[in-house]
Amino acid sequence: MIVIQIQKKLQSATGEMLLNLDFEIRENEFVTLYGASGSGKTTTLRMISGLTQADKGIITVNNENWLDTNKKNQLPPQKRNIAYVFQDYALFPNMSVRENLNYALEKGQDKSIVEELLALMELQHLQHQKPAQLSGGQKQRVALARALVRRPKILLLDEPLSAVDQEMRIKLQDYILQAHRKYQLTTILVSHDIAEIYKMSDKVIVLENGIISKNGSPDEVFSSRLASGKFQFVGEILKIEKENFINIVVVLIGNNIVKIIAMDEEIQDLNIGNKVLIASKAFNPILTKIDSVPKSRDL
Ligand SMILES: Nc1ncnc2c1ncn2[C@@H]1O[C@H](COP(=O)(O)OP(=O)(O)OP(=O)(O)O)[C@@H](O)[C@H]1O
């Protein structure tokens, strides 16, 4: 169990902001920090890792005291059993994949963990390559493997997937989940992606201006937005066409073009380029597994 009760004054673009945290994380839990830019997510991870000092408070991990400002106790970052992975891979460019992992070994540590991680992250065929020869997703797998060499108990992930494309992101999520389960990690992820949060997390902590505004399962936290039987998407208007008594509004949602029927009064204020919210309560969506959709030549 991790108990975090800390405060820190931050200097934000709009002035001073108090980051005020009080939450608990169970062992082996997968927790996501969610919140607007500047709400204090990175600072929270940095205070857990000890890289940033809290002004006051306590952090205890399995009854071990990592921070107690009253007693002036502060466990140095290198003594906290933590791995920290950022968006920036920070690999050593002059070392091969295997050498990057070997370098992370502690003195006298059993080297078999390197083999195990090369296998888990499916990096064996790339083990002699240098980082410059790897794709973004491959580099991130190496960064993840390297972070796990010392068998940390806590894994901190600060938007590690934001620099890779959607397909790679989904694969990396699976690698992270595999590592989380195999090594019985307690993982704290910073993410802005609601689908990713649903897939990965046991618990979501929402930060707003330094304060925890929600703390619960993804369903509990996002229920008013997503899980209420109501679908909501944000899109951009590409075209508005008039047809007899109705209008057809052509909207781009992600990579999809969707046509929505609207009455005159609904489109009064709408122009091409406007961002719009498309919501529906009363339709019955058809679910189709993506890899079972016939290829276009079969249609
Ligand atoms: N050591 C510090 N002392 C004072 N203020 C800080 C410190 N570190 C960060 N800040 C400020 O605290 C605010 C929150 O920063 P933080 O990086 O934690 O936000 P975030 O939620 O991770 O944002 P983003 O999603 O953009 O990464 C920012 O305005 C930042 O400038």
Side-chain angles (χ1 to χ4, degrees), residues 12 29 33 44 50 67 97 104 110 120 127 164 171 179 191 238 296:
S12 75
E29 212 169 16
L33 295 180
T44 301
L67 177 79
V97 169
D110 182 355
L120 184 73
Q127 60 178 294
V164 297
K171 284 191 192 148
S191 176
L238 297 180
S296 51

Side-chain angles (χ1 to χ4, degrees), residues 8-13 17 36-43 52 159 192:
K8 182 170 181 68
K9 258 193 207 141
L10 298 175
Q11 297 303 326
S12 75
M17 177 177 98
S37 181
S39 54
K41 304 179 299 292
T42 296
T43 310
T52 292
E159 297 196 63
H192 290 108

Side-chain angles (χ1 to χ4, degrees), residues 205-262:
I205 293 174
V206 182
L207 274 178
E208 277 178 47
N209 297 320
I211 308 243
I212 296 176
S213 61
K214 284 184 182 169
N215 180 349
S217 69
D219 255 356
E220 285 163 353
V221 163
F222 296 117
S223 60
S224 58
R225 294 182 55 183
L226 287 176
S228 58
K230 182 166 147 186
F231 283 74
Q232 291 188 346
F233 302 98
V234 174
E236 185 180 327
I237 297 180
L238 297 180
K239 225 197 271 181
I240 301 176
E241 294 164 348
K242 195 148 186 64
E243 261 187 37
N244 299 326
F245 302 108
I246 55 158
N247 302 282
I248 298 186
V249 184
V250 183
V251 182
L252 181 69
I253 303 175
N255 290 326
N256 294 314
I257 291 180
V258 176
K259 292 185 176 181
I260 293 156
I261 294 170

Side-chain angles (χ1 to χ4, degrees), residues 90-106 111 114-115 118 123-124 126-131 133-134 142 145-146 149:
L91 299 172
F92 297 116
N94 54 332
M95 293 185 191
S96 68
V97 169
R98 177 179 278 277
E99 286 164 348
N100 262 281
L101 267 59
N102 279 338
Y103 193 79
L105 284 165
E106 273 176 309
K111 284 188 178 164
V114 171
E115 306 308 324
L118 286 172
L123 290 167
Q124 289 114 321
L126 300 169
Q127 60 178 294
H128 301 302
Q129 311 260 36
K130 297 266 167 64
Q133 298 164 292
L134 304 177
V142 180
R146 192 182 58 177
V149 165

